[in-house]
């Protein structure tokens, strides 16, 4: 089958790629775009390891077709730090040991960032419900929730 | 010997050396790796739980354009049954070769039958469908009860138990005293039977590998595993390629919990790569992970405990039947050997039975077997304490194992910290706090304790000083939960330099000495021993170099705060020589500075924990929520408290999932019905509260930094703690896991039904 040509913006950069019509956004990112920060844990929208944003909306890239990114703006974990300056969430995850194996970390960070953009002052419950789509099998979520809350407090103070 | 007086790095929450890569998406996990010319491998799996494979015809698949190689069991080395066990660690390669590729019979749905490599994943999948397999479908059994029936279909005809072909593949027992005599002395005797369902380790990263085999057999493997040396050895044994020709490179690993201590894909990908001449990548889908890897056993256990009126346990008997899956090897040793071990019981019999049935072969899962045994034992203990009207923690205190207690599985305990964990739990804010009002929901509190053997074993390290005076530490264990941070803390501490100057990497099989698996709660225990000894050798070299420069005796030089100093003014007046200065002078003063050590480490002893759990139950919906949880554990010495707590919290979360929701559900056809994260319900963020940790630190006297393994104990007591809390809330006890909403409702509705009858 003929491949489809897609023009999109990824992490602020204009991008073009070719894909099969049936390819998911995750396939495209990890494949031809070589952005492997987004992970595949389930391919069914249940683990959140592939979380990205599409025009600032948090989505599972495994549930989105690559062609759907045409003309839209995609953000992935690779675009989270600003040059060599980490995003405050990334910094806090490191300081507070909010990762163990690290396979869920990209998705957790992207999802947490999307939350703080919508709600800079989330309660613990709001953080927990927002991140309920991101599985972590290592941490018991404790340190992740704490890191998100602490980052939010710090960002509000600035 | 370099004596550390005041710790600067040990015990600090440093930033892990591999952290930056992991928060920026740079870290390379196995599925992230590619190679020029790479093709894709896929596995054809059995749809049947039990079937004889009469023939396999791969010709149509081979002709499909894009297909580069097909392999079947003919391509995998056959360890024949008759020749007896061929052990690699705890794995018998006779089963391993049949587990990676079915030979003669398919024994579970998902059992690999053939594998294909093609230019795209889609073509490989298509080709799998073109393989024609002639099966003779056989009767099967999934559950223990069915598998041990006298007329049960037998999986392995050669396996005999008590002289007859049987699905009981093994039995072990631990014995102490005389239980008959013991029970005679008891005033209270309680006996109960419990069942648990198989649960999956649930790592978020599916199994993956990329393998290249050159025409001269030189093989490079990138894969996700808990041990690159295990990958090398098993791949070598199953493919016939010598170990010296295989370079197994550990990719970052996205969780394992025991489930990545054996190979599934690597031997298949190696043979596909060898046959096709192309590098082959294989990545499992989540469904394949659920159908064909792990899980841990389901079980049926009967536990009987007798105690005197004054609260002393006088006798105990445990019988633990554990599912092995399709091949022998369930963790009966963990169930029978760990579950009574926290207690000093004079008369004890603990038996384990290993039962095969038509489900995927079980793999290790965090303290394999121990949580299953502890669930039964700690629930019965709770009932005994209640019958004696004793506080459950006081009851445990009264019977606690301590220094000098002889455990039924052999050892006499040295100084252990079990009592301290009970006391800390008892004095905790959590245990002291009232349960509070549930606003219409029932509340309850439960406690439980747990033990895990802990392991030492083989470990290797190499420590090298760079030309600019920094440090590179190489060890041989995949870092699964932050062990690099602990190693860097120790190395920086010993050398007296800033943490940021130490870089820690995980060597591949051809660059670092043999190191056993990341598992058994052994990695920081073992690796810090070899890193410590390597660093001490380096310090000795540095002292010698400084002595040579100053023209004094090496004994007159001490190493302190990252520099050589004269021991006293008598030794001469010299300006300190820093690590950096000595490194720069190295070419002229004896050459490169580095040292390596390989050890078979001993002295891991055991680990103990005591947990307190609060639950809140919605009696209308049957939903149990854990509202507060405190895990207390003797951690020996917390080298990096953040990652020690992480181990505790992660284990607790897995245990809560096991207690409340997780289970394999089977269809009538004998297939797993919930092979995805939607229906196999692991705890999500909103299911859990914050998980409190109390780290009791009784340093391990046999370890240079006092380390005890911490990774496994945290899962052991959880199901019992949750079950005891539910009992406390409802006054009804559950004898089966998981305690999921439909089952809670069933128990809640039971008396009404009885009244209506
Ligand atoms: S891979 Fe997309 S949600 Fe799991
Ligand atoms: S850190 Fe391993 S899954 Fe989250």
């Amino acid at each position: 089958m003929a491949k489809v040509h897609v023009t999109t913006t990824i992490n602020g950069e204009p991008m073009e790629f070719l894909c099969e019509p049936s390819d998911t956004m995750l396939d495209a990112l990890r494949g031809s775009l070589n952005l492997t920060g987004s992970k595949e844990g389930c391919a069914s929208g249940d683990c959140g390891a592939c979380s990205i944003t599409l025009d600032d909306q948090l989505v599972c890239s495994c549930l989105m077709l690559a062609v759907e990114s045409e003309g839209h703006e995609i953000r992935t974990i690779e675009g989270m730090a600003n040059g060599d300056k980490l995003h405050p969430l990334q910094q806090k995850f490191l300081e507070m040991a909010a990762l163990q194996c690290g396979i869920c970390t990209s998705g957790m960070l992207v999802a947490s960032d999307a939350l703080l953009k919508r709600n800079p002052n989330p309660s613990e419950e709001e953080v927990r419900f927002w991140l309920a789509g991101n599985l972590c099998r290592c941490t018991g979520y404790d340190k992740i929730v704490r890191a998100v809350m602490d980052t939010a407090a710090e960002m509000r103070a600035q | 010997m370099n004596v550390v007086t005041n710790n600067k790095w040990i015990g600090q929450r440093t930033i892990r050396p591999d952290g930056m890569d992991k928060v920026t998406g740079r870290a390379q996990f196995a599925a992230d790796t590619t190679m020029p010319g790479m093709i894709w491998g896929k596995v054809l799996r059995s749809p049947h739980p039990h079937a004889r494979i009469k023939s396999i015809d791969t010709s149509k698949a081979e002709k499909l354009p894009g297909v580069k190689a097909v392999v079947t069991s003919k391509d995998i080395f056959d360890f024949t049954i008759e020749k007896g066990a061929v052990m690699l660690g705890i794995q018998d390669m006779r089963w391993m070769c049949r587990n990676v590729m079915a030979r003669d019979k398919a024994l579970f749905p998902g059992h690999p039958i053939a594998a294909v490599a093609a230019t795209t994943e889609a073509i490989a999948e298509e080709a799998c469908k073109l393989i024609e397999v002639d099966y003779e479908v056989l009767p099967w059994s999934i559950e223990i009860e069915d598998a041990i029936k006298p007329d049960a279909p037998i999986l392995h005809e050669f396996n005999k138990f008590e002289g007859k072909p049987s699905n009981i593949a093994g039995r072990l027992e631990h014995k102490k005293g005389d239980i008959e005599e013991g029970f005679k002395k008891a005033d209270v005797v309680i006996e109960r039977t419990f069942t648990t369902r198989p649960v999956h380790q649930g790592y978020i990263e599916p199994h993956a590998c990329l393998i290249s085999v050159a025409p001269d057999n030189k093989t490079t493997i990138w894969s996700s595993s808990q041990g690159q040396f295990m990958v090398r050895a098993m791949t070598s044994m199953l493919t016939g390629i010598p170990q010296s020709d295989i370079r197994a490179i550990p990719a970052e690993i996205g969780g394992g919990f025991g489930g990545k201590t054996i190979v599934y894909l690597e031997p298949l990908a190696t043979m596909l790569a060898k046959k096709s001449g192309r590098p082959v990548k294989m990545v499992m889908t989540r469904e394949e992970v659920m159908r064909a890897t792990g899980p841990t056993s389901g079980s049926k256990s009967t536990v009987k405990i007798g105690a005197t009126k004054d609260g002393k346990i006088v006798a105990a008997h445990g019988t633990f039947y554990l599912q092995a899956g399709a091949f022998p090897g369930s963790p009966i040793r963990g169930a029978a050997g760990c579950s009574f071990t926290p207690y000093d019981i004079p008369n004890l019999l603990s038996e384990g039975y290993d039962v095969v049935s038509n489900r995927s072969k079980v793999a290790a899962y965090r303290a394999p077997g121990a949580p299953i045994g502890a669930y039964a034992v700690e629930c019965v203990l709770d009932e005994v304490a209640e019958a004696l009207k004793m506080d459950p923690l006081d009851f445990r205190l009264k019977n606690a194992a301590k220094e000098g207690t002889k455990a039924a599985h052999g050892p006499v305990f040295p100084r252990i910290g079990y009592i301290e964990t009970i006391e800390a739990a008892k004095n905790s804010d959590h245990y002291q706090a009232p349960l509070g009002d549930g606003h219409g929901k029932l509340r309850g509190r439960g406690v439980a304790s747990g033990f895990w053997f802990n392991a030492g074993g083989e470990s290797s390290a190499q420590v090298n000083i760079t030309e600019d005076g920094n440090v590179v530490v190489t060890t041989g264990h995949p870092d699964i939960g932050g062990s690099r941070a602990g190693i860097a803390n120790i190395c920086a501490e010993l050398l007296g330099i800033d943490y940021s100057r130490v870089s820690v990497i995980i060597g591949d099989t051809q660059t670092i000495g043999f190191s056993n698996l990341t598992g058994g709660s052994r990695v920081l225990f073992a690796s810090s021993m070899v890193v410590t000894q390597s660093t001490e050798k380096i310090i000795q070299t540095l002292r010698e170099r400084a002595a040579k420069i100053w023209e004094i005796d090496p004994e007159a030089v001490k190493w302190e705060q990252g520099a050589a100093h004269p021991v006293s003014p008598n030794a001469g007046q010299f300006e300190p020589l820093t690590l950096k200065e000595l490194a720069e002078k190295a070419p002229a003063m004896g050459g490169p500075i580095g040292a390596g050590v390989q050890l078979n480490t001993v002295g891991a002893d055991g680990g103990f924990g005591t947990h307190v759990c609060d639950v809140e139950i919605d009696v209308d919906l049957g939903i149990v929520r854990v509202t507060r949880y405190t895990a207390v554990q003797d951690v020996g010495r917390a080298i990096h408290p953040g990652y020690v707590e992480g181990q505790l919290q992660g284990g607790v979360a897995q245990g809560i999932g096991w207690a409340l929701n997780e289970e394999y559900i089977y269809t009538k056809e004998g297939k797993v019905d919930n092979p995805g994260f939607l229906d196999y319900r692991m705890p999500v963020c909103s299911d859990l509260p914050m998980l409190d940790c109390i780290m009791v630190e009784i340093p391990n006297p046999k370890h240079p930094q006092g380390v005890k393994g911490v990774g496994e104990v945290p899962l052991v007591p959880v199901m019992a703690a949750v079950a005891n809390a539910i009992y406390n809330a409802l006054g009804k006890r559950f004898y089966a896991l998981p305690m999921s909403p439909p089952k809670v409702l069933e128990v809640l509705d039971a008396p009404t039904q009885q009244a209506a009858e």
Side-chain angles (χ1 to χ4, degrees):
Chain A
M1 192 183 288
K3 294 212 174 195
V4 186
H5 177 259
V6 179
T7 307
T8 181
T9 307
I10 299 181
N11 299 324
E13 298 286 337
M15 290 273 179
E16 290 174 70
F17 62 90
L18 292 176
C19 67
E20 300 286 341
S22 60
D23 280 354
T24 65
M25 191 65 216
L26 182 61
D27 293 334
L29 287 170
R30 294 182 51 83
S32 49
L33 291 163
N34 209 12
L35 293 169
T36 57
S38 307
K39 307 299 178 190
E40 180 168 315
C42 67
S44 58
D46 298 307
C47 75
C50 65
S51 301
I52 60 167
T53 59
L54 169 72
D55 298 337
D56 289 333
Q57 289 289 322
L58 182 63
V59 295
C60 294
S61 59
C62 70
L63 291 186
M64 175 191 157
L65 290 173
V67 292
E68 290 179 279
S69 68
E70 174 73 39
H72 292 280
E73 192 153 345
I74 299 286
R75 286 205 166 264
T76 71
I77 184 65
E78 285 89 351
M80 198 160 170
N82 184 0
D84 66 356
K85 198 171 158 15
L86 290 183
H87 185 283
L89 276 164
Q90 292 172 308
Q91 185 61 35
K92 202 51 96 184
F93 268 53
L94 287 179
E95 284 166 10
M96 296 179 69
L99 64 150
Q100 273 156 235
C101 78
I103 197 82
C104 70
T105 310
S106 310
M108 283 287 179
L109 285 165
V110 169
S112 307
D113 185 30
L115 168 64
L116 298 189
K117 284 202 176 103
R118 287 163 70 108
N119 179 0
N121 189 12
S123 65
E124 182 192 328
E125 201 178 359
E126 284 166 324
V127 173
R128 286 189 179 276
F129 277 91
W130 182 267
L131 292 181
N134 290 78
L135 287 175
C136 174
R137 191 59 157 174
C138 299
T139 62
Y141 306 105
D142 184 292
K143 293 193 187 318
I144 293 174
V145 174
R146 286 178 205 275
V148 174
M149 307 271 300
D150 270 34
T151 310
E154 223 165 70
M155 286 173 73
R156 287 196 305 276
Q158 276 164 13
Chain B
M1 181 81 187
N2 190 51
V3 180
V4 177
T5 42
N6 55 342
N7 288 321
K8 190 148 185 264
W9 301 109
I10 290 176
Q12 292 300 311
R13 294 172 191 256
T14 48
I15 290 182
R16 58 196 280 170
D18 54 318
M20 194 64 84
D21 271 357
K22 287 184 177 157
V23 298
T24 54
R26 281 180 179 82
Q28 280 229 319
F29 292 85
D32 302 336
T33 312
T34 54
M35 250 199 122
M38 182 184 96
I39 58 175
W40 291 84
K42 277 279 161 200
V43 176
L44 171 71
R45 296 174 184 276
S46 165
H48 306 295
H50 197 184
R52 197 168 307 285
I53 302 167
K54 291 170 38 190
S55 67
I56 303 177
D57 182 354
T58 59
S59 56
K60 283 195 189 123
E62 275 157 34
K63 286 190 201 104
L64 186 71
V67 169
K68 299 293 172 195
V70 179
V71 304
T72 63
S73 63
K74 286 198 211 78
D75 302 288
I76 299 293
F77 191 87
D78 183 7
F79 290 88
T80 45
I81 308 286
E82 299 73 30
K83 287 194 184 153
V86 180
M87 300 307 289
L88 187 85
I90 58 165
Q91 304 295 341
D92 186 336
M93 296 309 287
R94 293 180 303 167
W95 317 141
M96 195 58 62
C97 76
R98 284 166 176 73
N99 194 48
V100 300
M101 195 62 100
R103 202 169 270 284
D104 314 326
K105 282 212 288 188
L107 292 161
F108 61 93
H111 201 163
I113 304 294
V116 177
T119 46
T120 70
E121 254 184 305
I123 295 173
E125 267 164 33
E126 199 49 47
C128 283
K129 292 184 198 143
L130 296 176
I131 296 174
E132 287 163 6
V133 188
D134 188 6
Y135 293 107
E136 177 196 336
V137 177
L138 301 170
W140 39 266
S141 47
I142 304 279
E143 303 300 341
I144 291 174
E145 292 76 10
D146 301 329
I148 61 177
K149 277 186 188 144
D151 58 345
I154 300 294
L155 272 72
H156 307 290
E157 286 297 335
F158 56 85
N159 182 67
K160 305 263 189 315
F161 189 75
E162 291 170 347
K164 286 193 279 295
S166 170
N167 288 326
I168 297 180
R171 175 184 182 273
L172 71 70
E173 67 169 39
H174 295 299
K175 211 173 162 179
K176 205 178 146 185
D178 178 340
I179 54 165
E180 311 251 311
E181 285 306 306
F183 279 117
K184 278 188 204 150
K185 291 188 203 126
D187 299 307
V188 173
V189 176
I190 289 177
E191 178 173 358
R192 300 284 182 236
T193 295
F194 300 83
T195 59
T196 70
R197 309 291 300 161
V199 291
H200 198 270
Q201 293 79 353
Y203 32 82
I204 307 300
E205 177 202 36
H207 299 259
C209 66
L210 168 60
I211 299 180
S212 142
V213 183
D216 64 355
N217 271 347
K218 291 278 186 290
T219 301
T220 312
I221 302 178
W222 290 265
S223 79
S224 172
S225 82
Q226 288 173 248
Q228 62 275 40
F229 290 90
M230 172 279 296
V231 168
R232 180 177 75 174
M234 287 192 184
T235 306
S236 165
M237 292 173 96
L238 296 174
T239 62
I241 298 173
Q243 289 196 25
S244 52
D245 281 346
I246 302 175
R247 180 176 182 195
I249 301 175
E252 293 302 328
I253 169 170
F257 315 108
K260 291 179 183 167
T261 55
I262 58 175
V263 291
Y264 295 100
L265 300 175
E266 289 88 339
L268 309 183
T270 300
M271 290 315 293
L272 289 170
K274 191 169 152 63
K275 281 186 141 180
S276 65
R278 304 270 292 265
V280 172
K281 179 163 172 169
M282 293 181 89
V283 181
M284 279 194 198
T285 63
R286 177 56 50 183
E287 188 176 330
E288 288 180 289
V289 171
M290 295 300 287
R291 291 200 192 286
T293 73
T296 191
S297 310
S299 68
K300 183 172 177 160
S301 318
T302 302
V303 166
K304 180 177 172 186
I305 294 176
T308 53
K309 276 199 288 289
D310 64 345
K312 203 62 201 125
I313 302 174
V314 283
H317 183 196
T319 312
F320 306 97
Y321 282 86
L322 265 61
Q323 287 162 350
F327 297 100
S330 67
I332 44 178
R333 183 175 158 264
C338 289
S339 31
F340 291 107
T341 302
Y343 308 102
D344 185 2
I345 303 174
N347 305 295
L348 178 75
L349 176 61
S350 189
E351 308 169 78
Y353 291 88
D354 186 23
V355 182
V356 294
S357 66
N358 297 104
R359 39 167 97 227
S360 55
K361 181 190 189 305
V362 300
Y365 179 24
R366 249 182 155 150
I372 292 170
Y375 163 58
V377 168
E378 296 286 317
C379 284
V380 175
L381 278 178
D382 211 53
E383 290 199 48
V384 176
E386 194 193 19
L388 294 168
K389 299 194 172 53
M390 277 182 82
D391 172 274
L393 289 178
D394 286 336
F395 183 55
R396 284 171 174 79
L397 264 182
K398 182 140 197 173
N399 293 286
K402 50 183 174 294
E403 187 167 355
T405 303
K406 182 165 169 37
H409 66 277
V412 174
F413 283 123
R415 173 84 171 91
I416 53 174
Y418 177 43
I419 287 182
E420 286 81 350
T421 68
I422 309 174
E423 280 167 348
K426 225 182 133 185
N427 297 328
S428 65
D429 287 347
H430 183 170
Y431 202 65
Q432 300 285 329
L435 262 174
D437 180 14
H439 305 285
K441 291 181 186 150
L442 294 179
R443 288 190 168 185
R445 176 169 296 159
V447 301
S449 296
F451 166 81
W452 174 248
F453 305 116
N454 285 349
E458 301 96 331
S459 193
S460 301
Q462 174 70 32
V463 179
N464 290 328
I465 306 300
T466 59
E467 296 102 291
D468 60 356
N470 293 321
V471 186
V472 180
V473 183
T474 309
T475 67
H477 314 282
D479 175 0
I480 205 163
S483 56
R484 275 177 278 221
I487 289 163
N489 277 0
I490 288 169
C491 191
E493 188 76 58
L494 294 173
L495 281 170
I497 59 173
D498 194 78
Y499 175 84
S500 65
R501 290 171 62 190
V502 182
S503 150
V504 183
I505 64 160
I506 316 299
D508 65 62
T509 54
Q510 315 310 72
T511 59
I512 186 74
F514 181 79
S515 301
N516 216 324
L517 293 166
T518 290
S521 295
R522 60 178 297 273
V523 165
L524 199 64
F525 171 83
S527 61
S528 55
M529 278 193 180
V530 283
V531 168
T532 298
Q533 292 193 13
S534 307
T535 309
E536 281 166 353
K537 283 190 182 180
I538 284 191
I539 290 170
Q540 179 59 24
T541 306
L542 293 166
R543 286 170 57 214
E544 284 163 9
R545 299 277 169 99
K548 212 162 161 193
I549 292 167
W550 292 333
E551 295 176 336
I552 61 174
D553 190 69
E555 296 309 309
V557 181
K558 63 178 174 183
W559 188 263
E560 220 173 62
Q561 293 177 340
H565 303 259
V567 279
S568 67
N570 297 345
Q573 297 272 5
F574 304 104
E575 280 302 299
L577 275 167
T578 63
L579 178 61
K580 193 168 170 5
E581 287 161 341
L582 287 165
E584 279 161 1
K585 292 187 203 312
M589 300 300 300
I593 306 169
V597 167
Q598 296 81 32
L599 276 184
N600 197 356
T601 63
V602 291
D605 296 327
F608 293 89
T610 299
H611 292 190
V612 186
C613 170
D614 288 2
V615 295
E616 196 169 84
I617 303 170
D618 183 323
V619 289
D620 297 323
L621 300 174
I623 296 174
V624 177
R625 270 194 77 82
V626 173
T627 51
R628 188 168 182 184
Y629 204 101
T630 303
V632 188
Q633 191 170 317
D634 172 21
V635 302
R637 184 80 193 279
I639 302 298
H640 189 301
Y643 289 107
V644 174
E645 288 164 356
Q647 290 296 325
L648 269 56
Q649 291 162 334
V652 168
Q654 288 181 316
I656 292 174
W658 193 343
L660 296 179
N661 281 302
E662 293 181 36
E663 65 176 314
Y664 271 58
I665 296 167
Y666 277 78
T667 62
K668 285 203 299 293
E669 293 74 40
K671 272 181 101 162
V672 179
D673 204 17
N674 58 340
F677 284 143
L678 184 63
D679 298 318
Y680 182 90
R681 183 70 167 70
M682 297 187 341
V684 302
C685 200
S686 52
D687 292 329
L688 298 174
M690 292 297 188
L691 302 170
D692 296 330
C693 305
I694 301 175
M695 295 180 281
V696 172
E697 297 188 77
I698 312 290
N700 178 353
K702 297 177 188 157
H703 189 275
Q705 284 84 28
V707 170
K708 284 176 189 160
V710 297
E712 278 159 309
V713 173
L715 178 55
V716 182
V718 186
M719 284 84 74
V722 176
N724 290 341
I726 292 177
Y727 173 74
N728 184 246
L730 295 178
K732 289 177 194 234
R733 189 165 286 281
F734 285 78
Y735 296 101
L737 297 183
M739 297 170 283
S740 54
K743 295 189 188 150
V744 172
L745 286 180
E746 227 170 79
V747 168
L748 279 171
D749 292 345
T752 348
Q753 272 174 13
Q754 274 163 14
E757 273 161 13

